[in-house]
Amino acid sequence: MVWTLQADPQRHTVPREVSVRRLEPADTDALLALGPDSAWIHASWGDPLSLAASGHGWAAVDRKGRVPAIACTYFRGTRYEDITGRGHVPSWNCSVLNRAGRLLAAWAAGFRLVREYVHYAVGSPVHQSRLAAPSRYP
């Protein structure tokens, strides 16, 4: 699913049992617990610890230290780029199965759905329970 920034961010109420905060090195085990299907999230950083220590990752963390939703920079250059200043539109990509990413992150931050596409992954097995999307959209 591809979302583009089309609205002002909205205030969003976070459930009491969840806090949204910057990732820290102490969150490395929680990132590992996401399992191999989610390893792509930290792949561009090298490993979970590098992402957690980078200062470029944010997560919803529950009282037990689990991470139900994460947002981070996937690729980062050495210089800052003003995306909108160059006439480009910021985008958000997430799986149709990532309900938390769609509702808590994309929609609340002002991103709106533009299109859906099929994402093929090679060399990374998908668990049978994740092959079918339970529902469309929020």
Side-chain angles (χ1 to χ4, degrees):
M1 302 180 85
V2 177
W3 303 63
T4 59
L5 188 60
Q6 299 176 29
D8 291 332
Q10 303 171 5
R11 282 194 89 41
H12 190 74
T13 303
V14 178
R16 287 185 194 173
E17 63 273 5
V18 174
S19 63
V20 177
R21 61 173 175 74
R22 190 180 303 267
L23 287 170
E24 305 168 346
D27 296 313
T28 301
D29 288 340
L31 294 176
L32 283 168
L34 294 174
D37 285 349
S38 298
W40 65 270
I41 294 170
H42 54 73
S44 66
W45 290 95
D47 57 41
L49 174 60
S50 296
L51 170 58
S54 72
H56 296 284
W58 287 78
V61 181
D62 69 15
R63 291 181 183 174
K64 295 181 179 180
R66 294 176 299 207
V67 176
I70 184 171
C72 67
T73 301
Y74 191 71
F75 291 113
R76 182 173 179 267
T78 56
R79 292 179 28 182
Y80 170 80
E81 179 180 1
D82 183 354
I83 295 171
T84 55
R86 290 193 37 189
H88 298 287
V89 177
S91 66
W92 182 281
N93 294 294
C94 69
S95 166
V96 69
L97 301 174
N98 183 354
R99 190 166 195 272
R102 292 191 328 264
L103 295 177
L104 293 177
W107 189 265
F111 290 83
R112 300 297 180 262
L113 181 66
V114 173
R115 69 181 175 93
E116 292 185 56
Y117 63 95
V118 177
H119 184 125
Y120 295 98
V122 177
S124 177
V126 176
H127 289 288
Q128 291 293 325
S129 65
R130 307 228 20 222
L131 290 177
S135 66
R136 307 228 347 133
Y137 313 130

